[in-house]
Amino acid sequence: MQRQFWILVALAAMVLAGAPRAWSAEPISVGLSAPMTGNYAEYGNNWKKAMDIAVEKINQKGGIKGRPLQLVVEDSKSDPKDSAQIAQKFVSDPRIVAELGDFTSTACMAAQPIYDRAGMVQLSPTASHPEFAPKSPWSFGIVGTQAEEGAFMAGYTVEKEGKKKIAVLYINNDWGIAAQDQYIKRAKELGAQIVAVENFFDRDKDFTGVLTKLRGSKPDALYIPSMYNEGALISKQREKLGWNDVAVFGPGSLYSPKLLEIGGSAVEGLHTSTIFMETDPRPEVQEFIKTFKARNNNVPPNMFAAVAYDALMIMANAIDKAGPDRKAIRDELAKMRDYVGMTGKISFTERRDVKRSYHYLIVQNGAWALLEK
Amino acid sequence: MPLYSFTPRWDNKRVWLPVLGALLLFPLVVRSEYLLNVAVLAGIYVILSSSLNITNGYTGLFSFGHAAFYGIGAYTAAILATRHAVPFWLTFPLAGIVAGLSGVAIALPTLRLKGIFLALITIGFQEIVFLVTLNWVSLTRGPMGIPAIPPPAIAGYSFGGNRDYYYLILLLNVLVLFLIARIMDSRVGRAFIAIREDEVAAQAVGIPVFPTKVLSFVIATAMAGVAGAFFAHHARFVSADSFRLDETFVILTMLIVGGMGTLVGPVIGAVFLVILPEVSRFLVQFREIVYGAILILVILFRPQGIAGVPGIIHSPTRRSKPPGAALPEAPAE
Amino acid sequence: MLLQQVVNGLTQGSLYALVAIGFVIIFGTMNLVTFAHGEVYMVGAFMGYFALSWWHLPWPVALLLGMAAGWILGVLTEKVAFRPMRTLGHMPPLLITIGISIVLKEAVVILLGAENRPVPSIYEQTIQVWGSQVSVLQFVILGIVVLLIVALQLLIQATKIGRAMRATAQDHEAAYAMGVNADRVFNIAFALASCLGGAAGVLVGIYYNAVYATMGGMAGLKGFAACIFGGLTSIPGAILGALIIGVVENLTVQFIASGYRDIIAFLVMVLVLIVRPQGLLGSKMRVV
């Protein structure tokens, strides 16, 4: 009799000791709408890796108010149809208190009315369309908008690099249109001449025709607001056409090791911007980079991974302060000032986006290099 | 085997009344938003495949452009609802009318062609409609699609969960199927079938072949347009991508698997193919492959589908030579 | 710039031509249409991608591998889809090929993902021609396509099997009476067409430095448009149609807007079918 009792105690002790934190409470669920498959799959998977690191860090410290944080991941392929459907799904799930995502501004804006109507926070790590966050009190963006980035890149092109005649080739979606708009506005203010503007659809792979056309207007700079996949293809086809006497610029969407991998020699000298730097000396940044590299074939995190990490951390921060209530989380986020993340200082303006300061980045000898301001 | 077979069974109240009853009670029993969504989707595809059945099944016109009209209806409803605050009970019929008129516009130059050439030209028009939609940014917002389409609202009550949509689509289904049954039971319907079976003979007995073909086409496209309007108010977002050739293939697969030329064939096909992938989480990811594989198997082993009239896809056009190797054996019929 | 656009157009057109010729061969001998041709092209492209990016083989080997993949797929498709259904009209084989195209495309998406796969570059230099810079790669591609077409013509005109194909295309009953094995002819015709499609896929992957699972759709449709333009049964017609489509597409980009580029092929297809369904050089066929 006594032996059985002690055996039970021993078993119980083993279970309690060996089991990972026995959560007596239900997890707090945050929805993630991101491209896990499809043309933007690498961005989504990158996000997930970074966010997983963040989630683990939070849960190791005891979760949020004693409850573990859980990501509910849905694959949107960054397709606006899917992101809208996923939004419906998330808002009708009572366990989900907020949403992270989506990747492209177009996908975010398609889902926006649904989150707005139902009253759920939509925090996008990468949406940079200037009209996205202001349109709904529930929408937040942390990567900065094209209003700032476009102006920065225009300054880079005209003032720093001294280019006078610019051709623009942009991706024909909400984001691309806003990006080229802002860039052109500032470039003109700085006295440059916009000699040609063309666009392409995101399914296009053939740029030889449009590049030939742009070449005809003899620009000395080419600005390409697009993702790194197309950016690399455009560069390669430009090189194949022998058009080498033009300087190429693009927004931070181009900043990725994949651009170098796919673009090869064609992207040498490409100019872009970044808000995240691998060389940031802060210990928490280096620790993040180290952890990320260990899970990612030794490839360091790019800006997308860094903002994803920051987005999750901010969200967790807000939930911690406000509790798992959809409206309270929104109010808490809107109040957030001076949160210091991997990507620097984050304060939401009244438009619920963030004003960023950028750094000059260039491809030199097959690697990304920072330039002095 | 009769050329069409629906009158005996469906006139029988003892058959459709309990079915209707079960369908009405369904959302009261099943509460899962997810399952109701599947049911709504099935409802949309029933209308799409039934309307395609009018041209492809009853009239023997192999149109491959159906998704374009679905899309035209969806965009019409989306534009009217978001830009002009038109309420849903007007956007639906207007979408149907616009889709029907587009049907006329496309029917006139194309319906002179037969068989494979009709199929090809409808594919051409399908893609042209898609590309125009994508490029006509001032009207359709191009690749950005039209978001924020309001849900249907009746007397101040806005549709909320899928249950509301379910009843609406059920109502539309009943209307559409009733309409098709009535049409096929009339002279017009018999004319459709006559044209399918033997166009020359149909002409000889005085059927105005070309106008009848156009009529068949218009009815089908108008119905597809109404389905599009419903889709717009349900998904609350439309983009040109949803209405391409791939979508036509999906509808066509449902029609063929369910069976062409009968009232119940397309219904079975649509319900079956919408529900099948949902049966297992595993299958959902492989939905497209499942559709493709089922299409192949059906054509190889049971071309009339589950409940269709045999021989519709087999009828060689009257005047072309039997293709392939119709050698010492007599030409197939 | 005009010359450059024309060269761009001719290069693309030559790639469409390879696809279009495939359709002509199949329709000419068998009087049937396949919707899976675009996916054969896509499989060939992926084979080229593996050869170049994964196994680092020289590009002619990649090309041959792509062609072989096409050939095998062609043989299989004919046996599975066409042989049992041949006697039953246009529709059943067409519908089966729709199923096959869906299965192939989705299988690639599931196994390899839907994203672009980058293909390494070859021949990145350019040369000066009449004041414009033209890429060496474009000439290489044009050269290869010409070579393939010449080889095809030799095959059709000068070999026994080629004669059998021509005879079957003209009058399959008479050919059968003369001892031609129709089954074998159809199988080879289909395989040949698919082989060319595979070659086109490999070349396209090299030209654009990218292959992806959904690349077959548009390519197949455009090849089809070219085939219709030429008259469905004429190889020179299909080539001409393809080149015209390629050039007009690029001129549209130059003078109108790049978004309308893809419409050209379909406008051509639709207009030809409305105005002159037998195409430019085809025999007067009964299509209405």
Side-chain angles (χ1 to χ4, degrees):
Chain A
M1 206 45 208
Q2 269 227 331
R3 206 160 59 155
Q4 279 169 330
F5 172 76
W6 285 113
I7 290 177
L8 276 172
V9 169
L11 280 173
M14 282 196 298
V15 166
L16 283 173
R21 287 292 199 127
W23 298 107
S24 53
E26 246 199 47
I28 294 184
S29 300
V30 169
L32 171 63
S33 173
M36 295 307 183
T37 62
N39 245 327
Y40 298 123
E42 26 207 314
Y43 300 100
N45 285 302
N46 225 326
W47 276 13
K48 182 140 189 322
K49 285 201 184 98
M51 287 186 180
D52 281 345
I53 294 178
V55 168
E56 276 168 31
K57 198 151 183 234
I58 293 173
N59 286 345
Q60 264 165 17
K61 294 215 187 102
I64 301 180
K65 293 210 190 320
R67 295 169 61 180
L69 179 62
Q70 184 187 2
L71 267 183
V72 176
V73 183
E74 287 288 339
D75 177 14
S76 69
K77 311 188 197 57
S78 231
D79 184 332
K81 302 194 295 286
D82 292 287
S83 70
Q85 265 174 26
I86 291 172
Q88 303 264 33
K89 205 164 168 183
F90 282 167
V91 303
S92 39
D93 184 340
R95 299 167 307 153
I96 297 187
V97 299
E99 186 257 357
L100 286 165
D102 203 301
F103 177 69
T104 59
S105 298
T106 304
C108 290
M109 286 159 91
Q112 189 175 40
I114 297 167
Y115 290 115
D116 179 73
R117 223 161 165 256
M120 180 188 274
V121 161
Q122 183 191 18
L123 171 57
S124 170
T126 49
S128 63
H129 192 293
E131 293 308 310
F132 164 63
K135 234 191 192 161
S136 155
W138 299 87
S139 305
F140 294 81
I142 64 170
V143 80
T145 70
Q146 287 304 315
E148 274 75 50
E149 189 171 19
F152 172 81
M153 287 309 298
Y156 191 177
T157 315
V158 182
E159 291 176 322
K160 186 161 171 51
E161 297 293 320
K163 302 299 175 192
K164 293 278 170 276
K165 294 170 65 178
I166 309 177
V168 179
L169 177 60
Y170 67 96
I171 188 169
N172 194 355
N173 62 24
D174 293 284
W175 174 82
I177 293 175
Q180 57 92 36
D181 236 8
Q182 297 294 327
Y183 176 86
I184 289 179
K185 196 168 77 166
R186 183 72 185 136
K188 281 190 180 156
E189 279 172 11
L190 294 173
Q193 189 195 359
I194 309 291
V195 297
V197 181
E198 290 292 321
N199 64 47
F200 61 92
F201 291 124
D202 86 35
R203 73 203 71 249
D204 284 348
K205 300 290 178 285
D206 172 57
F207 302 102
T208 49
V210 80
L211 281 170
T212 305
K213 183 175 182 184
L214 289 174
R215 192 180 186 181
S217 38
K218 301 203 195 334
D220 50 18
L222 177 64
Y223 187 62
I224 27 181
S226 79
M227 296 298 163
Y228 59 66
N229 249 317
E230 290 86 34
L233 285 180
I234 291 173
S235 298
K236 286 203 86 90
Q237 289 175 25
R238 178 195 56 77
E239 189 187 47
K240 257 205 288 265
L241 290 173
W243 186 16
N244 293 315
D245 55 357
V246 66
V248 180
F249 298 80
S253 47
L254 296 175
Y255 175 29
S256 159
K258 278 273 177 177
L259 182 85
L260 305 175
E261 187 194 315
I262 303 176
S265 62
V267 292
E268 187 67 23
L270 185 143
H271 307 263
T272 182
S273 71
T274 181
I275 56 177
F276 171 69
M277 292 185 298
E278 261 179 70
T279 54
D280 192 325
R282 288 178 290 151
E284 45 302 0
V285 176
Q286 290 304 315
E287 191 204 318
F288 169 61
I289 294 179
K290 203 168 93 176
T291 319
F292 191 91
K293 269 167 101 157
R295 303 180 181 204
N296 196 30
N297 291 339
N298 224 18
V299 175
N302 59 17
M303 182 183 77
F304 299 108
V307 286
Y309 183 89
D310 281 348
L312 184 83
M313 283 302 197
I314 292 180
M315 181 70 84
N317 206 302
I319 301 178
D320 193 50
K321 292 210 185 101
D325 170 73
R326 291 182 183 179
K327 176 135 200 341
I329 295 174
R330 187 221 83 85
D331 293 336
E332 191 57 45
L333 271 179
K335 289 199 303 219
M336 188 157 293
R337 301 276 178 277
D338 295 334
Y339 173 89
V340 181
M342 297 297 137
T343 53
K345 204 152 46 149
I346 298 178
S347 297
F348 286 115
T349 66
E350 335 72 71
R351 289 160 51 104
R352 290 169 302 284
D353 50 36
V354 176
K355 279 199 165 12
R356 291 286 190 177
S357 68
Y358 301 90
H359 304 273
Y360 300 115
L361 204 57
I362 189 175
V363 180
Q364 262 175 7
N365 302 320
W368 291 105
L370 282 167
L371 287 183
E372 292 310 310
K373 282 225 164 191
Chain B
M1 178 84 187
L3 291 174
Y4 57 94
S5 58
F6 59 86
T7 327
R9 296 205 330 270
W10 291 94
D11 266 10
N12 189 343
K13 276 204 183 57
R14 278 190 290 185
V15 171
W16 59 258
L17 211 51
V19 170
L20 190 59
L23 288 173
L24 282 169
L25 290 176
F26 179 73
L28 301 175
V29 170
V30 175
R31 296 307 194 109
S32 149
E33 275 295 305
Y34 181 65
L35 287 179
L36 285 174
N37 200 47
V38 174
V40 168
L41 227 56
I44 297 178
Y45 280 105
V46 164
I47 297 182
L48 287 171
S49 53
S50 298
S51 53
L52 186 62
N53 191 25
I54 298 176
T55 47
N56 293 29
Y58 290 124
T59 321
L61 300 171
F62 256 83
S63 159
F64 273 64
H66 216 55
F69 302 103
Y70 179 34
I72 290 177
Y75 265 92
T76 305
I79 294 173
L80 289 174
T82 54
R83 267 174 241 176
H84 305 286
V86 176
F88 84 101
W89 46 268
L90 268 182
T91 62
F92 277 40
L94 286 173
I97 292 175
V98 172
L101 288 174
S102 319
V104 173
I106 290 182
L108 293 177
T110 65
L111 288 180
R112 307 177 297 136
L113 301 170
K114 299 248 200 324
I116 190 72
F117 299 96
L118 176 61
L120 294 172
I121 199 175
T122 51
I123 291 177
F125 269 117
Q126 157 103 59
E127 287 295 299
I128 290 179
V129 167
F130 166 69
L131 288 164
V132 167
T133 309
L134 209 59
N135 277 291
W136 196 350
V137 182
S138 55
L139 182 67
T140 64
R141 289 176 35 96
M144 302 177 286
I146 300 184
I149 302 172
I154 307 179
Y157 171 74
S158 255
F159 275 35
N162 270 314
R163 189 168 58 165
D164 303 330
Y165 287 101
Y166 174 88
Y167 283 120
L168 181 59
I169 196 72
L170 182 60
L171 177 65
L172 284 175
N173 273 206
V174 167
L175 284 172
V176 162
L177 290 171
F178 178 75
L179 211 62
I180 296 180
R182 280 273 141 267
I183 291 175
M184 292 316 295
D185 203 22
S186 73
R187 261 185 116 146
V188 171
R190 285 196 287 276
F192 290 163
I193 295 176
I195 291 175
R196 177 187 82 208
E197 290 300 309
D198 189 332
E199 206 171 300
V200 179
Q203 185 117 48
V205 300
I207 294 177
V209 169
F210 190 73
T212 311
K213 283 184 179 176
V214 174
L215 182 63
S216 155
F217 205 77
V218 170
I219 296 175
T221 57
M223 286 179 176
V226 174
F230 181 90
F231 171 82
H233 285 281
H234 180 241
R236 318 264 303 277
F237 175 82
V238 294
S239 86
D241 260 329
S242 312
F243 307 113
R244 303 192 66 179
L245 194 56
D246 297 353
E247 187 66 11
T248 297
F249 285 166
V250 167
I251 303 172
L252 190 61
T253 305
M254 292 178 177
L255 179 60
I256 290 181
V257 169
M260 293 199 279
T262 61
L263 188 67
V264 73
V267 176
I268 293 181
V271 172
F272 175 61
L273 283 180
V274 167
I275 291 187
L276 179 68
E278 308 290 340
V279 153
S280 81
R281 266 249 65 110
F282 174 76
L283 275 183
V284 172
Q285 315 159 43
F286 299 131
R287 185 199 322 251
E288 310 292 335
I289 284 201
V290 169
Y291 282 15
I294 290 184
L295 179 60
I296 296 175
L297 291 170
V298 164
I299 302 278
L300 280 177
F301 300 117
R302 193 183 159 89
Q304 71 267 39
I306 296 174
V309 174
I312 292 185
I313 50 174
H314 291 182
S315 306
T317 53
R318 293 304 120 184
R319 288 169 292 165
S320 67
K321 65 182 177 187
L327 300 167
E329 317 112 273
E333 187 48 61
Chain C
M1 288 309 114
L2 199 58
L3 178 67
Q4 178 68 68
Q5 291 290 26
V6 169
V7 173
N8 290 343
L10 289 175
T11 316
Q12 278 173 338
S14 69
L15 296 168
Y16 296 152
L18 283 181
V19 177
I21 293 175
F23 283 121
V24 171
I25 294 177
I26 294 174
F27 194 86
T29 32
M30 304 170 75
N31 218 327
L32 293 175
V33 173
T34 161
F35 264 6
H37 206 53
E39 271 58 45
V40 169
Y41 156 99
M42 181 267 290
V43 169
F46 267 89
M47 190 51 97
Y49 158 74
F50 287 133
L52 291 167
S53 291
W54 284 21
W55 306 320
H56 304 292
L57 301 167
W59 67 262
V61 177
L63 185 62
L64 287 172
L65 279 176
M67 290 169 73
W71 185 278
I72 295 174
L73 255 186
V75 167
L76 287 174
T77 309
E78 200 274 332
K79 275 211 167 67
V80 165
F82 283 67
R83 192 166 304 187
M85 298 277 120
R86 268 202 309 254
T87 51
L88 299 174
H90 284 138
M91 280 304 150
L94 184 71
L95 294 167
I96 295 189
T97 56
I98 291 177
I100 293 179
S101 97
I102 295 175
V103 169
L104 278 175
K105 183 173 64 178
E106 292 302 318
V108 171
V109 169
I110 288 174
L111 292 172
L112 297 165
E115 334 54 272
N116 291 351
R117 296 291 183 130
V119 175
S121 278
I122 58 173
Y123 295 118
E124 291 177 0
Q125 322 86 303
T126 59
I127 56 179
Q128 281 271 3
V129 172
W130 288 326
S132 299
Q133 290 222 297
V134 176
S135 137
V136 170
L137 180 61
Q138 288 175 320
F139 278 124
V140 170
I141 288 181
L142 278 167
I144 296 176
V145 173
V146 166
L147 222 75
L148 285 171
I149 293 179
V150 166
L152 180 71
Q153 283 300 95
L154 280 175
L155 188 82
I156 293 185
Q157 301 294 342
T159 66
K160 197 159 164 220
I161 190 69
R163 251 205 312 279
M165 280 169 64
R166 275 182 292 136
T168 313
Q170 259 183 6
D171 187 339
H172 63 261
E173 278 167 19
Y176 181 76
M178 300 297 288
V180 170
N181 180 345
D183 279 358
R184 206 164 150 254
V185 167
F186 292 145
N187 203 284
I188 295 205
F190 213 93
L192 199 58
S194 306
C195 171
L196 287 176
V202 174
L203 292 172
V204 164
I206 293 176
Y207 188 45
Y208 293 125
N209 298 109
V211 302
Y212 52 106
T214 49
M215 64 194 284
M218 262 306 180
L221 290 173
K222 288 188 182 178
F224 215 88
C227 169
I228 289 180
F229 178 89
L232 274 173
T233 49
S234 153
I235 289 183
I239 298 175
L240 187 62
L243 292 175
I244 290 180
I245 288 178
V247 172
V248 174
E249 276 186 356
N250 278 284
L251 292 178
T252 303
V253 169
Q254 179 73 29
F255 295 116
I256 308 181
S258 67
Y260 288 105
R261 189 186 60 219
D262 288 342
I263 276 195
I264 297 301
F266 299 107
L267 279 178
V268 164
M269 175 156 55
V270 162
L271 285 171
V272 167
L273 283 171
I274 293 179
V275 169
R276 193 185 154 93
Q278 71 269 36
L280 210 63
L281 302 176
S283 51
K284 195 128 181 85
M285 282 194 322
R286 287 171 258 103
V287 308
V288 293

